[in-house]
Amino acid sequence: VLLLRVWGTKAVCIAGGGEPLLNENTPYLIDKLVQNNIDVGLITNGYYLNAQDIRLLKCKWIGISIDAGTKETFLKLKGVDVFDKILLNINQLIKIRNSSGSKCEISYKYIIHPINAYEIYKAIQNAYEIGCDTFHARPGGDSWFELQKGQFTFNEDMIKAIPKYLEMGREDYENENFKVYGV
């Protein structure tokens, strides 16, 4: 952390290479970064969110990669039946955030896939109902080594429907406390 401060680093995103909350030192790292006036963002799958660990709420933002609007789709995409647990973890974190005075922004993150393309609106509704500050959607794409698989092939109907679902979500849920972002 000292080197980051010396280099003039303004912000750090803790993500990638696996689930950062599996490392028991992640909250300690957040503490040290914040103590050195470095803004912190955290991307997590939400399973290991511990609302009781107030150090997480020192982050400027936390993005939870959910990528589904229903537990059935979550199971298809992720292969595990933990959708309800993750929504509960997020809701508990938001309640503690709200009572603590933290300004940490909590975001429901959604990579658009052909499997979940038609439930974007439901995911926006989930994000709003559990108290997230933002909903972020962006299309996924095959990684370079999977290009032959065509996993992220969107049909014409999906391509037309996706912006409509985002707009419906904005119209029905967006306000000064909740924003919907999509690419």
Short mmCIF file of all heavy atoms in Angstrom, two decimals, residues 12-30 33 40-50 53 55-56 59 61-65 109:
data_model
loop_
_atom_site.label_atom_id
_atom_site.label_comp_id
_atom_site.label_asym_id
_atom_site.label_seq_id
_atom_site.Cartn_x
_atom_site.Cartn_y
_atom_site.Cartn_z
N VAL A 12 -8.26 2.09 -6.32
CA VAL A 12 -7.94 0.70 -6.57
C VAL A 12 -9.24 -0.08 -6.66
O VAL A 12 -10.17 0.17 -5.89
CB VAL A 12 -7.08 0.12 -5.42
CG1 VAL A 12 -6.94 -1.38 -5.53
CG2 VAL A 12 -5.72 0.78 -5.36
N CYS A 13 -9.31 -1.01 -7.60
CA CYS A 13 -10.44 -1.94 -7.68
C CYS A 13 -9.93 -3.32 -7.30
O CYS A 13 -9.00 -3.83 -7.93
CB CYS A 13 -11.03 -1.95 -9.10
SG CYS A 13 -12.38 -3.13 -9.28
N ILE A 14 -10.53 -3.90 -6.29
CA ILE A 14 -10.15 -5.24 -5.85
C ILE A 14 -11.09 -6.22 -6.53
O ILE A 14 -12.28 -6.27 -6.22
CB ILE A 14 -10.24 -5.36 -4.31
CG1 ILE A 14 -9.34 -4.33 -3.63
CG2 ILE A 14 -9.88 -6.77 -3.87
CD1 ILE A 14 -9.51 -4.23 -2.13
N ALA A 15 -10.55 -6.97 -7.50
CA ALA A 15 -11.37 -7.90 -8.28
C ALA A 15 -10.48 -8.77 -9.14
O ALA A 15 -9.28 -8.53 -9.24
CB ALA A 15 -12.33 -7.12 -9.18
N GLY A 16 -11.08 -9.72 -9.80
CA GLY A 16 -10.39 -10.53 -10.79
C GLY A 16 -9.52 -11.61 -10.18
O GLY A 16 -9.12 -11.54 -9.02
N GLY A 17 -9.29 -12.63 -10.95
CA GLY A 17 -8.44 -13.71 -10.48
C GLY A 17 -9.08 -14.56 -9.41
O GLY A 17 -8.40 -15.28 -8.70
N GLY A 18 -10.38 -14.46 -9.27
CA GLY A 18 -11.09 -15.23 -8.25
C GLY A 18 -11.87 -14.31 -7.32
O GLY A 18 -11.84 -13.09 -7.46
N GLU A 19 -12.55 -14.90 -6.38
CA GLU A 19 -13.39 -14.16 -5.43
C GLU A 19 -12.53 -13.49 -4.36
O GLU A 19 -11.89 -14.16 -3.55
CB GLU A 19 -14.40 -15.12 -4.78
CG GLU A 19 -15.18 -14.55 -3.63
CD GLU A 19 -15.90 -13.25 -3.97
OE1 GLU A 19 -16.46 -13.13 -5.07
OE2 GLU A 19 -15.89 -12.35 -3.11
N PRO A 20 -12.48 -12.15 -4.32
CA PRO A 20 -11.59 -11.47 -3.38
C PRO A 20 -11.95 -11.68 -1.91
O PRO A 20 -11.09 -11.60 -1.05
CB PRO A 20 -11.70 -9.99 -3.77
CG PRO A 20 -12.93 -9.87 -4.57
CD PRO A 20 -13.18 -11.21 -5.19
N LEU A 21 -13.21 -11.99 -1.61
CA LEU A 21 -13.59 -12.16 -0.21
C LEU A 21 -13.23 -13.55 0.33
O LEU A 21 -13.41 -13.81 1.52
CB LEU A 21 -15.07 -11.86 -0.01
CG LEU A 21 -15.44 -10.40 -0.28
CD1 LEU A 21 -16.93 -10.16 -0.07
CD2 LEU A 21 -14.62 -9.44 0.59
N LEU A 22 -12.70 -14.42 -0.52
CA LEU A 22 -12.15 -15.68 -0.02
C LEU A 22 -10.86 -15.43 0.75
O LEU A 22 -10.48 -16.22 1.61
CB LEU A 22 -11.88 -16.66 -1.16
CG LEU A 22 -13.08 -17.44 -1.66
CD1 LEU A 22 -12.72 -18.24 -2.91
CD2 LEU A 22 -13.60 -18.37 -0.58
N ASN A 23 -10.19 -14.35 0.43
CA ASN A 23 -8.96 -13.99 1.13
C ASN A 23 -9.32 -13.23 2.40
O ASN A 23 -9.89 -12.14 2.34
CB ASN A 23 -8.07 -13.14 0.23
CG ASN A 23 -6.72 -12.88 0.84
OD1 ASN A 23 -6.56 -12.74 2.05
ND2 ASN A 23 -5.71 -12.80 -0.02
N GLU A 24 -9.00 -13.80 3.53
CA GLU A 24 -9.35 -13.18 4.81
C GLU A 24 -8.67 -11.83 5.03
O GLU A 24 -9.06 -11.07 5.91
CB GLU A 24 -9.03 -14.12 5.97
CG GLU A 24 -7.56 -14.44 6.11
CD GLU A 24 -7.25 -15.52 7.12
OE1 GLU A 24 -8.11 -16.39 7.34
OE2 GLU A 24 -6.14 -15.48 7.69
N ASN A 25 -7.67 -11.52 4.22
CA ASN A 25 -6.96 -10.24 4.36
C ASN A 25 -7.57 -9.11 3.54
O ASN A 25 -7.11 -7.98 3.62
CB ASN A 25 -5.49 -10.42 3.99
CG ASN A 25 -4.76 -11.27 5.00
OD1 ASN A 25 -4.87 -11.05 6.19
ND2 ASN A 25 -4.07 -12.29 4.52
N THR A 26 -8.59 -9.39 2.74
CA THR A 26 -9.20 -8.34 1.92
C THR A 26 -9.72 -7.18 2.77
O THR A 26 -9.43 -6.02 2.45
CB THR A 26 -10.29 -8.92 1.00
OG1 THR A 26 -9.67 -9.85 0.09
CG2 THR A 26 -10.98 -7.84 0.20
N PRO A 27 -10.46 -7.42 3.85
CA PRO A 27 -10.90 -6.28 4.68
C PRO A 27 -9.72 -5.48 5.25
O PRO A 27 -9.78 -4.25 5.34
CB PRO A 27 -11.72 -6.92 5.79
CG PRO A 27 -12.22 -8.20 5.19
CD PRO A 27 -11.08 -8.67 4.31
N TYR A 28 -8.64 -6.16 5.61
CA TYR A 28 -7.44 -5.49 6.10
C TYR A 28 -6.85 -4.61 4.99
O TYR A 28 -6.46 -3.47 5.24
CB TYR A 28 -6.42 -6.53 6.58
CG TYR A 28 -5.08 -5.97 6.92
CD1 TYR A 28 -4.88 -5.29 8.14
CD2 TYR A 28 -4.01 -6.09 6.05
CE1 TYR A 28 -3.64 -4.75 8.45
CE2 TYR A 28 -2.76 -5.56 6.36
CZ TYR A 28 -2.59 -4.90 7.56
OH TYR A 28 -1.36 -4.37 7.88
N LEU A 29 -6.79 -5.14 3.77
CA LEU A 29 -6.28 -4.37 2.63
C LEU A 29 -7.14 -3.12 2.42
O LEU A 29 -6.61 -2.03 2.21
CB LEU A 29 -6.26 -5.23 1.37
CG LEU A 29 -5.89 -4.52 0.07
CD1 LEU A 29 -4.47 -3.96 0.14
CD2 LEU A 29 -6.04 -5.47 -1.11
N ILE A 30 -8.46 -3.28 2.48
CA ILE A 30 -9.36 -2.13 2.34
C ILE A 30 -9.04 -1.07 3.39
O ILE A 30 -8.91 0.10 3.08
CB ILE A 30 -10.83 -2.58 2.42
CG1 ILE A 30 -11.19 -3.43 1.20
CG2 ILE A 30 -11.77 -1.38 2.54
CD1 ILE A 30 -12.51 -4.18 1.31
N LEU A 33 -5.73 0.72 2.50
CA LEU A 33 -5.89 1.61 1.35
C LEU A 33 -6.61 2.89 1.76
O LEU A 33 -6.17 4.00 1.43
CB LEU A 33 -6.64 0.90 0.22
CG LEU A 33 -5.86 -0.22 -0.47
CD1 LEU A 33 -6.80 -1.09 -1.29
CD2 LEU A 33 -4.75 0.35 -1.34
N VAL A 40 -11.41 2.84 -2.80
CA VAL A 40 -11.45 1.40 -3.05
C VAL A 40 -12.80 1.01 -3.64
O VAL A 40 -13.85 1.41 -3.14
CB VAL A 40 -11.22 0.61 -1.75
CG1 VAL A 40 -11.21 -0.89 -2.03
CG2 VAL A 40 -9.94 1.03 -1.06
N GLY A 41 -12.75 0.20 -4.69
CA GLY A 41 -13.92 -0.46 -5.24
C GLY A 41 -13.71 -1.96 -5.10
O GLY A 41 -12.58 -2.44 -5.13
N LEU A 42 -14.79 -2.69 -4.91
CA LEU A 42 -14.71 -4.13 -4.72
C LEU A 42 -15.74 -4.80 -5.62
O LEU A 42 -16.90 -4.38 -5.65
CB LEU A 42 -15.00 -4.49 -3.26
CG LEU A 42 -15.13 -5.96 -2.90
CD1 LEU A 42 -13.77 -6.67 -3.00
CD2 LEU A 42 -15.68 -6.11 -1.48
N ILE A 43 -15.29 -5.80 -6.38
CA ILE A 43 -16.22 -6.62 -7.15
C ILE A 43 -16.21 -8.01 -6.55
O ILE A 43 -15.16 -8.63 -6.39
CB ILE A 43 -15.86 -6.65 -8.64
CG1 ILE A 43 -15.95 -5.25 -9.23
CG2 ILE A 43 -16.79 -7.61 -9.39
CD1 ILE A 43 -15.57 -5.14 -10.68
N THR A 44 -17.41 -8.50 -6.21
CA THR A 44 -17.55 -9.78 -5.54
C THR A 44 -18.72 -10.54 -6.14
O THR A 44 -19.59 -9.95 -6.79
CB THR A 44 -17.76 -9.58 -4.03
OG1 THR A 44 -18.03 -10.84 -3.40
CG2 THR A 44 -18.91 -8.62 -3.74
N ASN A 45 -18.74 -11.84 -5.89
CA ASN A 45 -19.90 -12.62 -6.32
C ASN A 45 -21.02 -12.54 -5.27
O ASN A 45 -22.12 -13.01 -5.49
CB ASN A 45 -19.53 -14.07 -6.64
CG ASN A 45 -19.03 -14.85 -5.43
OD1 ASN A 45 -19.32 -14.55 -4.28
ND2 ASN A 45 -18.26 -15.89 -5.70
N GLY A 46 -20.74 -11.96 -4.11
CA GLY A 46 -21.75 -11.73 -3.08
C GLY A 46 -21.94 -12.86 -2.10
O GLY A 46 -22.56 -12.68 -1.06
N TYR A 47 -21.42 -14.03 -2.39
CA TYR A 47 -21.65 -15.18 -1.51
C TYR A 47 -20.99 -15.00 -0.16
O TYR A 47 -21.54 -15.37 0.87
CB TYR A 47 -21.13 -16.46 -2.17
CG TYR A 47 -21.47 -17.70 -1.38
CD1 TYR A 47 -22.75 -18.24 -1.45
CD2 TYR A 47 -20.53 -18.30 -0.56
CE1 TYR A 47 -23.08 -19.36 -0.70
CE2 TYR A 47 -20.85 -19.43 0.18
CZ TYR A 47 -22.13 -19.96 0.11
OH TYR A 47 -22.45 -21.06 0.86
N TYR A 48 -19.81 -14.39 -0.14
CA TYR A 48 -19.06 -14.24 1.11
C TYR A 48 -19.21 -12.85 1.72
O TYR A 48 -18.46 -12.51 2.64
CB TYR A 48 -17.58 -14.57 0.89
CG TYR A 48 -17.37 -16.01 0.52
CD1 TYR A 48 -17.18 -16.39 -0.80
CD2 TYR A 48 -17.39 -17.01 1.50
CE1 TYR A 48 -17.01 -17.72 -1.14
CE2 TYR A 48 -17.23 -18.34 1.16
CZ TYR A 48 -17.04 -18.69 -0.16
OH TYR A 48 -16.88 -20.01 -0.49
N LEU A 49 -20.16 -12.06 1.23
CA LEU A 49 -20.38 -10.75 1.85
C LEU A 49 -20.74 -10.95 3.31
O LEU A 49 -21.66 -11.70 3.64
CB LEU A 49 -21.54 -10.03 1.16
CG LEU A 49 -21.24 -9.22 -0.07
CD1 LEU A 49 -22.53 -8.63 -0.63
CD2 LEU A 49 -20.24 -8.13 0.19
N ASN A 50 -20.01 -10.29 4.17
CA ASN A 50 -20.30 -10.36 5.59
C ASN A 50 -20.69 -8.96 6.04
O ASN A 50 -19.84 -8.10 6.23
CB ASN A 50 -19.07 -10.86 6.36
CG ASN A 50 -19.30 -10.89 7.85
OD1 ASN A 50 -20.35 -10.48 8.36
ND2 ASN A 50 -18.33 -11.39 8.58
N ASP A 53 -18.91 -7.16 8.83
CA ASP A 53 -17.55 -6.63 8.68
C ASP A 53 -17.65 -5.23 8.08
O ASP A 53 -17.65 -5.04 6.87
CB ASP A 53 -16.68 -7.53 7.80
CG ASP A 53 -15.21 -7.19 7.95
OD1 ASP A 53 -14.89 -6.04 8.35
OD2 ASP A 53 -14.38 -8.07 7.68
N ARG A 55 -15.68 -2.99 7.71
CA ARG A 55 -14.56 -2.54 6.87
C ARG A 55 -14.92 -2.56 5.39
O ARG A 55 -14.43 -1.74 4.62
CB ARG A 55 -13.31 -3.38 7.14
CG ARG A 55 -12.77 -3.20 8.56
CD ARG A 55 -11.61 -4.08 8.83
NE ARG A 55 -12.03 -5.48 8.83
CZ ARG A 55 -11.22 -6.51 9.05
NH1 ARG A 55 -9.94 -6.31 9.27
NH2 ARG A 55 -11.67 -7.75 9.05
N LEU A 56 -15.78 -3.48 4.98
CA LEU A 56 -16.19 -3.53 3.58
C LEU A 56 -16.89 -2.23 3.17
O LEU A 56 -16.78 -1.79 2.04
CB LEU A 56 -17.13 -4.71 3.33
CG LEU A 56 -16.57 -6.10 3.56
CD1 LEU A 56 -17.64 -7.14 3.29
CD2 LEU A 56 -15.33 -6.35 2.73
N CYS A 59 -15.35 0.94 1.42
CA CYS A 59 -15.18 1.04 -0.04
C CYS A 59 -16.04 2.18 -0.57
O CYS A 59 -17.09 2.50 -0.02
CB CYS A 59 -15.64 -0.26 -0.71
SG CYS A 59 -14.57 -1.68 -0.42
N TRP A 61 -17.36 1.92 -3.51
CA TRP A 61 -18.44 1.15 -4.11
C TRP A 61 -18.15 -0.34 -4.01
O TRP A 61 -16.99 -0.75 -3.93
CB TRP A 61 -18.69 1.55 -5.57
CG TRP A 61 -17.49 1.46 -6.47
CD1 TRP A 61 -16.62 2.47 -6.76
CD2 TRP A 61 -17.02 0.31 -7.17
NE1 TRP A 61 -15.65 2.01 -7.62
CE2 TRP A 61 -15.87 0.70 -7.89
CE3 TRP A 61 -17.46 -1.00 -7.28
CZ2 TRP A 61 -15.15 -0.18 -8.68
CZ3 TRP A 61 -16.75 -1.89 -8.07
CH2 TRP A 61 -15.61 -1.47 -8.77
N ILE A 62 -19.23 -1.12 -4.00
CA ILE A 62 -19.14 -2.58 -4.07
C ILE A 62 -20.08 -3.02 -5.19
O ILE A 62 -21.26 -2.69 -5.19
CB ILE A 62 -19.55 -3.25 -2.74
CG1 ILE A 62 -18.61 -2.83 -1.61
CG2 ILE A 62 -19.57 -4.77 -2.90
CD1 ILE A 62 -19.03 -3.34 -0.23
N GLY A 63 -19.53 -3.75 -6.15
CA GLY A 63 -20.32 -4.31 -7.24
C GLY A 63 -20.48 -5.80 -7.02
O GLY A 63 -19.50 -6.50 -6.80
N ILE A 64 -21.72 -6.26 -7.06
CA ILE A 64 -21.99 -7.68 -6.87
C ILE A 64 -22.40 -8.27 -8.21
O ILE A 64 -23.42 -7.90 -8.78
CB ILE A 64 -23.05 -7.94 -5.79
CG1 ILE A 64 -22.61 -7.36 -4.44
CG2 ILE A 64 -23.27 -9.44 -5.62
CD1 ILE A 64 -23.13 -6.02 -4.13
N SER A 65 -21.61 -9.20 -8.72
CA SER A 65 -21.86 -9.82 -10.02
C SER A 65 -22.91 -10.92 -9.86
O SER A 65 -22.60 -12.01 -9.39
CB SER A 65 -20.57 -10.43 -10.58
OG SER A 65 -19.62 -9.43 -10.79
N LYS A 109 -24.64 -6.06 -10.48
CA LYS A 109 -23.97 -6.12 -11.78
C LYS A 109 -24.52 -7.29 -12.59
O LYS A 109 -24.80 -8.35 -12.05
CB LYS A 109 -22.46 -6.22 -11.58
CG LYS A 109 -21.91 -4.98 -10.85
CD LYS A 109 -20.44 -4.99 -10.69
CE LYS A 109 -19.67 -4.48 -11.85
NZ LYS A 109 -19.99 -3.19 -12.38
#
